[in-house]
Amino acid sequence: MAFTGKYVLESTENYEEFLEALGINIPKNQGNEEIITEIYQNDEFSVTKSVKDKTWYNKFTIGKESELQTVDGEKFKTTVTLEGGKLKIQFPKFLYTAEVVNDKLVEVQAVGAVATKMISKKTK
């Protein structure tokens, strides 16, 4: 299972710019919290993300419409795809992709021309 594992955020690129493009204002250096992502891949995917005191969970099957939830608790329906080893999810305000490269989870989130790249190291 290529995605299955627990990952801890190692680095980000353009994270503050991405949040600004979404209209989210955070104090400087507040975007550097430890983010933990746990993924279980079988017939379905289960994804749990934790940052500070907030945790959210999504479960979906590739190619089938699923109800997912944003970090703010907003529920939406979308069909998650897997193309060339990359998960692709269209959130209400941005496009999310994820892939595993050399035991690292590489996530890219883009709104318009602004994108952030988050790299997390597999811990188990």
Side-chain angles (χ1 to χ4, degrees):
M1 305 296 163
F3 283 90
T4 297
K6 181 176 181 178
Y7 302 86
V8 176
L9 183 65
E10 195 173 63
S11 66
T12 64
E13 296 172 14
N14 297 325
Y15 188 63
E16 289 178 359
E17 293 87 344
F18 173 74
L19 293 177
E20 285 176 17
L22 287 176
I24 299 170
N25 295 315
I26 60 166
K28 288 285 184 201
N29 299 321
Q30 283 256 315
N32 297 327
E33 297 98 9
E34 181 176 74
I35 299 174
I36 298 171
T37 304
E38 293 184 70
I39 302 174
Y40 179 73
Q41 176 187 357
N42 202 352
D43 292 337
E44 293 184 317
F45 276 76
S46 298
V47 179
T48 304
K49 278 208 179 261
S50 302
V51 59
K52 276 193 169 186
D53 57 350
K54 193 165 192 116
T55 299
W56 65 104
Y57 169 81
N58 282 305
K59 188 174 189 175
F60 54 87
T61 301
I62 300 298
K64 291 188 179 177
E65 186 176 67
S66 302
E67 184 174 83
L68 304 181
Q69 185 173 326
T70 67
V71 65
D72 295 327
E74 177 185 349
K75 291 184 179 182
F76 66 99
K77 289 189 177 187
T78 192
T79 301
V80 180
T81 59
L82 182 63
E83 300 170 11
K86 286 186 183 183
L87 280 177
K88 188 182 275 188
I89 305 172
Q90 182 62 61
F91 278 79
K93 297 180 182 175
F94 62 91
L95 177 64
Y96 168 91
T97 62
E99 66 181 318
V100 175
V101 179
N102 299 326
D103 273 347
K104 293 191 182 207
L105 179 65
V106 180
E107 300 168 285
V108 176
Q109 300 167 87
V111 57
V114 180
T116 183
K117 184 177 189 178
M118 303 170 78
I119 299 174
S120 300
K121 186 167 77 171
K122 190 171 190 175
T123 61
K124 63 178 181 175

